[in-house]
Amino acid sequence: MEPVTKKREYRDDYTDKTLYIPGPTEVREDVIEAMTESPFGHRMDRMTDLYTTIVEDTKEFLGTDNDVVILTGSGTEFWEATTLNLVDENVLVPTCGAFSERYANVAERLGKNVDRLEYEWGEAVKPEDVREALESGDTHYDMVAGVLNESSTGVRNPIEEIGDVISEFPDTYFAVDAVSSLGGDYIDIDAHGIDAIFASSQKAFAMPPGLAICVVSDDAYDREAEKGDSSWYGGFRRTIDYYDRKGQTHSTPAIPIMLAYRKQMKHMLAEGHAARDERHREMMEYVHDWADEHFAMFPEEGYESQTVACIENTQDIDVAATIEEVSEEYDMAFSNGYGDLAEETFRIGHMGEHTVESIRELTDAIEDVAEL
Ligand SMILES: Cc1ncc(COP(=O)(O)O)c(C=O)c1O
């Protein structure tokens, strides 16, 4: 078969665009510069200094006593790893958009029996429905796989309340994809029975892409040990035991990105989890007010994401053309709607290092181009 993709030579003359997409997002200059240190070996003491620093700083930032695993890869790695480490047979996946659907799809491909709790796109998962699914029927679910921030619809699911429900079912583990909001939306990880929660470095952590971060409970660690088989690369035991013995990763990591991580996590610690949450809340409120004035928010009311706004295109603007023109004239990038919602909605990533002021620059540009 003739391949569809032809080589398009990468050039040296691209214009940088300010990123307002739902990740990757803007990265501070000193964080980018941190990646230029000369290479060193992944079994050197220097590596132990680096890896233990980023792991312990992450625990401190997130305020968790659980273990933290940072692996080369993207958040997608932990869709697979959580499924392989925690599920023997049955998994319940509340689906409310493209990413929760993909979590279900991953589990199916790994040979698990997946039951979906389906919601319309734009709706949030309801804790009482999760309770009903866990209580009714003969199926014992090894795991509930949730998505905190459904980036395709801009919905923030009530993961804390869902976790409280699942905590009442001690043999059911709770894994949470927090890929597009951890670090920009406060969550008390240890208080809601969350066994594994994971993110990608390029989203609200505002780092370059290439690292996946997962917080793992003792119960999840024990569950994998009891279960026997698990993911090799993302196995909780392999990664955590290796950390406990050597303070390093089991295989060669993307050291330059970890150097960037170290730098950025210091900035995050200086700001603090609560203050970072507050700044993201302010951005969300600003975008919400702007959307109310010109369009409408797409998500069910009360469940709007703190990091990704999904705005309903009530004015029937040409979304693709507006994105193109904003990019050309203002060197800013924002996103169309996901999949079938491409023209019906558009999305603004207000995460990481953005502020209300920087978001206002984008909304001013959209107003100008779309003649709002
Ligand atoms: C909610 C959610 N989950 C998972 C992913 C996949 O993340 P990655 O591409 O970093 O593997 C994304 C990416 O946008 C996402 O938004």
Side-chain angles (χ1 to χ4, degrees), residues 99-113:
F99 293 98
S100 40
E101 177 52 41
R102 204 170 298 169
Y103 205 162
N105 187 255
V106 165
E108 278 169 344
R109 281 181 178 230
L110 294 171
K112 308 302 177 189
N113 173 44

Side-chain angles (χ1 to χ4, degrees), residues 51-262:
Y51 193 57
T52 56
T53 297
I54 64 174
V55 166
E56 297 306 320
D57 282 356
T58 305
K59 286 184 198 170
E60 185 183 337
F61 174 79
L62 293 174
T64 181
D65 291 329
N66 288 345
D67 286 301
V68 165
V69 176
I70 303 170
L71 282 183
T72 302
S74 70
T76 293
E77 162 61 21
F78 284 105
W79 278 338
E80 287 199 346
T82 49
T83 306
L84 290 169
N85 298 344
L86 300 175
V87 182
D88 258 334
E89 217 177 323
N90 302 310
V91 52
L92 179 69
V93 187
T95 54
C96 60
F99 293 98
S100 40
E101 177 52 41
R102 204 170 298 169
Y103 205 162
N105 187 255
V106 165
E108 278 169 344
R109 281 181 178 230
L110 294 171
K112 308 302 177 189
N113 173 44
V114 175
D115 284 343
R116 289 172 174 73
L117 190 56
E118 289 181 48
Y119 294 86
E120 295 285 324
W121 282 37
E123 285 179 3
V125 178
K126 306 297 177 318
E128 57 275 18
D129 297 341
V130 175
R131 175 187 298 285
E132 205 181 303
L134 292 178
E135 276 175 351
S136 66
D138 308 322
T139 310
H140 165 74
Y141 293 107
D142 296 318
M143 178 172 97
V144 177
V147 170
L148 175 61
N149 198 64
E150 186 37 270
S151 322
S152 59
T153 61
V155 164
R156 199 282 193 197
N157 284 309
I159 285 300
E160 294 88 340
E161 289 84 346
I162 295 168
D164 292 342
V165 167
I166 298 166
S167 299
E168 294 173 37
F169 301 81
D171 295 330
T172 300
Y173 296 83
F174 187 28
V176 179
D177 167 338
V179 166
S180 58
S181 62
L182 199 66
D185 184 345
Y186 184 87
I187 178 156
D188 187 346
I189 295 170
D190 300 4
H192 299 285
I194 295 171
D195 292 296
I197 181 166
F198 51 94
S200 302
S201 53
Q202 77 276 13
K203 307 276 189 182
F205 278 47
M207 299 171 185
L211 296 174
I213 305 104
C214 187
V215 182
V216 182
S217 75
D218 290 347
D219 284 352
Y221 178 94
D222 292 343
R223 160 68 180 165
E224 185 196 304
E226 164 227 64
K227 191 174 158 285
D229 56 358
S230 64
S231 162
W232 195 100
Y233 191 80
F236 297 150
R237 277 184 302 162
R238 180 171 305 282
T239 51
I240 293 167
D241 290 356
Y242 214 95
Y243 182 76
D244 288 343
R245 282 204 322 271
K246 300 200 160 158
Q248 296 176 349
T249 50
H250 56 56
S251 48
T252 320
I255 297 173
I257 309 172
M258 290 192 170
L259 288 164
Y261 191 116
R262 167 189 164 252

Side-chain angles (χ1 to χ4, degrees), residues 151 189 210 225 279 288 296-297 355 358 364 367:
S151 322
I189 295 170
R279 181 165 56 77
H288 198 148
M297 291 299 287
T355 59
S358 69
D364 283 353
E367 280 181 37

